[in-house]
Amino acid sequence: MTNNFLKCSYMIMLAATYFVTYILLLSVGGIIAVRMTALQPYIGMIAMAGAGGFLALLLPVRKLPLQLPEKPALTIPAVFFLAAGVCVILNVVMAFIPWNGIGETHVVQDNASMFGIPFAMRLLSYVVIAPLAEELLFRGTVLHKIGEFAPKWIAILISSIAFGIYHGNLQQGIYAFLCGCVIAWVFVVTGSFWMAVLFHAAANLLVNLAYEFEVIRNIVYSIPVIVILSLLALGSALLIVFSHKKGIQNEK
């Protein structure tokens, strides 16, 4: 019991350190941006990179499962297509919810802020920095550490709830929670931190490509492609399961 309490306390300390570092960097960046207004859109990206880097030093990262998964030639494409399918399905479902009617009137402003930086910087921020920093926090720290003393399903649930809350509004919170559950599942089943990063990066890449290019958006969110991606996601999930039976049995 004492050992579990210490592990839990250590996990909370690591997570708190991330947020404190992030807030401090945001504050300092905000002060600098008053004089250097061109930096203002990039303060969040810089703060996230700094907080993620500091967390990586504290973990330390070498204790994470950094190896490639079993059968990487099968698993890597499967994780990519699973991410694409889950991303599209969730975005379609979210589009049918009347957010304004339930008080989420600020979602449009939040989205405008998120997509308000140049495309190249968005790719750097949301396809490289965010997947690395956020996966270090939510899967590398919260899920991995809780999984050392609690059942994996509890670790998946807690890390996903935290991931949802972190996103700051109901729409993004629900999306992040559901995505987080799948990312956490991929992390646990494949036993590879990099597969969680890949899923996160692939989902963010597709969202940004669809937002930036109308032709991609029209293709990705057409009914035939939605059906194809849904089937690919289901097949990919089954492939991941059957390719990692030993890992799943060991977790049990």
Side-chain angles (χ1 to χ4, degrees):
M1 181 67 72
T2 302
N3 191 37
N4 290 346
F5 175 78
L6 290 174
K7 288 180 179 179
C8 186
S9 299
Y10 179 57
M11 182 272 295
I12 293 172
M13 182 272 290
L14 288 174
T17 299
Y18 175 93
F19 285 111
V20 169
T21 306
Y22 181 66
I23 292 169
L24 285 174
L25 290 174
L26 278 180
S27 301
V28 173
I31 294 171
I32 295 173
V34 171
R35 295 184 178 275
M36 302 174 65
T37 55
L39 287 177
Q40 189 170 359
Y42 311 110
I43 297 302
M45 177 178 69
I46 295 169
M48 182 181 293
F54 189 49
L55 180 61
L57 292 175
L58 294 176
L59 264 174
V61 172
R62 67 177 180 275
K63 292 186 178 180
L64 291 176
L66 297 177
Q67 72 281 357
L68 287 176
E70 294 180 40
K71 302 177 182 177
L74 292 176
T75 304
I76 291 173
V79 170
F80 183 89
F81 284 116
L82 178 61
V86 168
C87 171
V88 168
I89 292 167
L90 288 180
N91 275 300
V92 169
V93 171
M94 293 289 146
F96 284 98
I97 298 176
W99 299 106
N100 288 341
I102 55 177
E104 288 292 291
T105 55
H106 61 288
V107 167
V108 174
Q109 289 83 358
D110 288 347
N111 287 343
S113 174
M114 182 173 70
F115 293 110
I117 61 177
F119 180 59
M121 289 297 101
R122 288 211 313 272
L123 292 184
L124 175 62
S125 181
Y126 301 128
V127 183
V128 179
I129 294 174
L132 286 170
E134 292 177 359
E135 291 312 310
L136 278 171
L137 175 60
F138 293 103
R139 261 59 67 174
T141 300
V142 179
L143 186 151
H144 187 57
K145 294 301 179 184
I146 291 177
E148 291 180 349
F149 61 87
K152 286 295 188 290
W153 70 267
I154 292 179
I156 289 173
L157 185 61
I158 292 175
S159 65
S160 301
I161 291 173
F163 190 49
I165 294 172
Y166 169 82
H167 279 75
N169 66 60
L170 187 60
Q171 182 190 35
Q172 291 178 341
I174 293 173
Y175 176 90
F177 166 74
L178 295 173
C179 251
C181 287
V182 184
I183 297 173
W185 176 80
V186 166
F187 179 89
V188 169
V189 172
T190 65
S192 174
F193 171 75
W194 294 118
M195 294 304 97
V197 174
L198 173 62
F199 186 109
H200 197 149
N204 284 3
L205 175 63
L206 184 58
V207 167
N208 278 275
L209 287 174
Y211 183 90
E212 186 70 16
F213 302 104
E214 184 177 0
V215 62
I216 294 178
R217 181 164 65 251
N218 291 338
I219 292 171
V220 168
Y221 292 108
S222 64
I223 292 177
V225 174
I226 291 172
V227 172
I228 291 171
L229 286 176
S230 299
L231 293 174
L232 278 173
L234 177 60
S236 296
L238 292 174
L239 181 60
I240 291 169
V241 169
F242 289 120
S243 298
H244 297 83
K245 281 185 176 180
K246 289 183 179 179
I248 294 172
Q249 291 170 354
N250 290 337
E251 291 297 339
K252 292 179 180 179

